[in-house]
Amino acid sequence: MKKSIIALAFIATGLATGTQAKTTALPTLTDTAALELVNEGLQSCHKDGYNVSVAVVDRTGSLKAFGRSELAGPHTVDSAQKKAFTAASMGQPTANLAKLVTDKPFLQGLKDMDSRMLLLGGGMPIKVDGQIVGGIGIGGAPGGHLDQACAEQAIKVALK
């Protein structure tokens, strides 16, 4: 009987410890930071004369904040959100993914993995302490490299 009680106590302790080991504490992008990223992205592109849409998503790809210049084309809404999703999901700039698919055509399937993915420049993962907390996507500048420059500037200023 005494051995059974000791065994049950050991099992209960092991289960409690196992439950704790199966959870994590991950950094999360705040609402304030997401709004700052959108604002900085809009400002960065505006000063260069570009009318864009800016989307910020959390690590799961869910939209956290969004902004659109008055003169941005309607297509920029969807492209900004998809670029942000892709950067957060894949953990790298969308321009890198676009180049990868061009250089290695057998990877073309990447673009079809999820209907929310877009392999064009302008999406950047957002990292805090080396961990991905989200993504930012910008669409509307005359070239993905310009969208990306605005996104990089937004991250630099908003998350300093």
Side-chain angles (χ1 to χ4, degrees), residues 57-77:
V57 299
D58 65 15
R59 84 169 41 81
T60 69
S62 297
L63 186 64
K64 194 138 177 83
F66 180 83
R68 181 180 163 270
S69 300
E70 298 86 8
L71 299 176
H75 66 284
T76 65
V77 174

Side-chain angles (χ1 to χ4, degrees), residues 1-19:
M1 176 82 162
K2 193 173 186 181
K3 287 182 183 179
S4 296
I5 293 173
I6 292 172
L8 283 173
F10 180 73
I11 291 170
T13 304
L15 290 176
T17 304
T19 302

Side-chain angles (χ1 to χ4, degrees), residues 37 45 53-57 76 78-99 116-127 132 134-141 143-155:
L37 284 157
C45 277
S53 289
V54 180
V56 173
V57 299
T76 65
D78 195 41
S79 68
Q81 290 181 45
K82 286 183 173 189
K83 290 176 185 183
F85 174 86
T86 304
S89 179
M90 301 298 284
Q92 58 182 300
T94 54
N96 291 6
L97 295 165
K99 182 174 179 354
R116 296 168 290 178
M117 299 212 20
L118 183 60
L119 304 183
L120 293 175
M124 295 292 297
I126 302 168
K127 296 181 181 182
I132 295 173
I136 182 171
I138 299 183
H145 64 291
L146 299 171
D147 290 330
Q148 181 169 324
C150 292
E152 289 172 343
Q153 180 65 20
I155 292 169

Side-chain angles (χ1 to χ4, degrees), residues 2-62:
K2 193 173 186 181
K3 287 182 183 179
S4 296
I5 293 173
I6 292 172
L8 283 173
F10 180 73
I11 291 170
T13 304
L15 290 176
T17 304
T19 302
Q20 290 173 347
K22 293 182 182 183
T23 62
T24 60
L26 297 171
T28 302
L29 189 64
T30 66
D31 296 340
T32 301
L35 291 169
E36 287 176 21
L37 284 157
V38 167
N39 188 46
E40 290 298 333
L42 287 170
Q43 286 183 29
S44 178
C45 277
H46 181 73
K47 76 174 190 248
D48 291 330
Y50 310 135
N51 295 301
V52 299
S53 289
V54 180
V56 173
V57 299
D58 65 15
R59 84 169 41 81
T60 69
S62 297

